[in-house]
Amino acid sequence: MFRKLLLATGIAAALLAPVAASAQDVKTRIIRFGYGLSESSNQGRAVKYFAEELSKRSGGKLKVKGFGDASLGSDIQMQNALIGGAQEMMVGSTATLVGIVRDFGVYDLPFLFNNEKEADAVLDGPFGEKLLKSLNDKGLVGLVYWENGFRNLTNSKRPITKLEDMGGIKLRVMQNPVYIDMFNRFGANAVPLAFSELFTAMETGTVDGQENPVTTIQSSKFYEVQKYLTISRHVYSPWIMLASKRWYDGLSADEKKILNEAAVASRDFERKDSREASAQSIAYLKEKGMQINELSPAELERMREMVKPAFDKYAADGGAEVLKDLQGAIAASRK
Ligand code: TF8
């Protein structure tokens, strides 16, 4: 009886062993992960963190190869490479997705979020989720949002202390109609351009200025070609981590789970890291010789008034519903 039992247990163990070994259905895979900023930027640090997390969680099988400095192309080029299946992953601006899902432009309307806490709640909540899901039938998987941050103005012409100072400034904006409309309303001359072409455009005087979070102004060394920084915080800009749907659909359930969990971990790391870096950036940029000013509350109010019609235009152009939903979600985050 005992022998029989032993034998049976032995057989059971032998049968179970291979099951246990492959309990994690994970293949060795190389993941090409592209991004636009430098390796030493907040974006680069978070890609590195994601790579480490993924490796740890997959026993070294899921290997991320990061490509910074837009070496795989601009945001828009990478999105297309993901859709076609020629590249596996990327992180970039939500603003550059408007050619694929127009509703992503809603995040770019000015002065929506008051602070990062509201942004986290809305982006990680049902509203942000719904927009991520809307990418699925466009060949993309939206995994999580990272923080790019509140955007500020820089230029090489003059300090901007009031709206009128923006008059005639050739200002590079992202390739997105909301930005073009907003800055033309402010009196600037909006020039849409890929981020990868921005430094040279400022260096050669093709444009006078640009707008980005202070972390990017630091990591992309814009202080070398821009004298004036205005803390305007006009838009809270998310980054979005994307995967190729074609590629993602071929992953096992275990691989998807590992990838999704590592993505969430990278999001939490990135936000914390970016916020810490951001708090140091102003002092750094001052030291590099930038002249920095804030906008008075009265001036910010004038800007708000001036861009109100941009909201009406956005709504009239088919964005009424998504705008209403976003404003509702933001209001709920304040309760
Ligand atoms: C911009 C964005 C960029 C990001 C980055 C390339 O101004 O803020 O910094 O899209 O991922 O283009």
Side-chain angles (χ1 to χ4, degrees), residues 103-104 106 127 131 314 318-327:
D103 282 353
F104 273 97
V106 76
F127 179 87
L131 273 193
Y314 185 82
E321 199 182 316
V322 71
L323 176 57
K324 199 171 133 268
D325 287 353
L326 176 55
Q327 286 172 326

Side-chain angles (χ1 to χ4, degrees), residues 36-37 43 75 91-93 148 151 172 174 195 212 239:
L37 300 190
Q43 198 173 50
D75 281 6
V91 65
S93 183
N148 188 355
R151 304 179 77 88
R172 175 272 176 178
M174 289 194 275
F195 184 83
N212 253 300
W239 277 330

Side-chain angles (χ1 to χ4, degrees), residues 179-295:
Y179 277 97
I180 299 170
D181 183 45
M182 170 176 16
F183 280 99
N184 285 335
R185 281 179 204 276
F186 286 148
N189 196 342
V191 183
L193 206 63
F195 184 83
S196 43
E197 290 165 46
L198 176 52
F199 189 93
T200 309
M202 291 190 288
E203 198 174 30
T204 57
T206 307
V207 298
D208 306 315
Q210 64 86 44
E211 42 85 56
N212 253 300
V214 284
T215 42
T216 298
I217 297 165
Q218 174 174 351
S219 64
S220 293
K221 300 196 166 71
F222 289 168
Y223 52 80
E224 290 180 356
V225 288
Q226 299 279 276
K227 176 78 184 162
Y228 306 102
L229 166 60
T230 306
I231 306 299
S232 49
R233 295 167 62 89
H234 49 274
V235 172
Y236 176 88
S237 199
W239 277 330
I240 182 169
M241 188 198 263
L242 298 168
S244 158
K245 180 129 194 316
R246 221 186 240 200
W247 170 75
Y248 186 88
D249 284 347
L251 298 178
S252 72
D254 285 335
E255 289 168 335
K256 283 179 185 158
K257 184 163 180 282
I258 292 170
L259 191 81
N260 295 350
E261 287 171 357
V264 169
S266 77
R267 172 194 76 193
D268 295 344
F269 167 86
E270 193 274 347
R271 285 180 181 160
K272 187 164 177 286
D273 177 62
S274 288
R275 284 162 198 175
E276 282 164 12
S278 178
Q280 319 268 330
S281 282
I282 303 245
Y284 182 91
L285 295 171
K286 212 175 263 172
E287 202 186 292
K288 289 290 178 187
M290 287 194 98
Q291 191 179 314
I292 305 173
N293 71 278
E294 308 245 343
L295 285 173

Side-chain angles (χ1 to χ4, degrees), residues 2-18:
F2 182 66
R3 289 194 96 194
K4 249 190 194 158
L5 197 72
L6 251 190
L7 195 69
T9 328
I11 289 167
L15 282 173
L16 276 173

Side-chain angles (χ1 to χ4, degrees), residues 145-159:
Y145 295 97
W146 289 0
E147 172 159 298
N148 188 355
F150 280 102
R151 304 179 77 88
N152 300 298
L153 282 164
T154 69
N155 84 97
S156 57
K157 290 283 182 209
R158 60 185 93 103

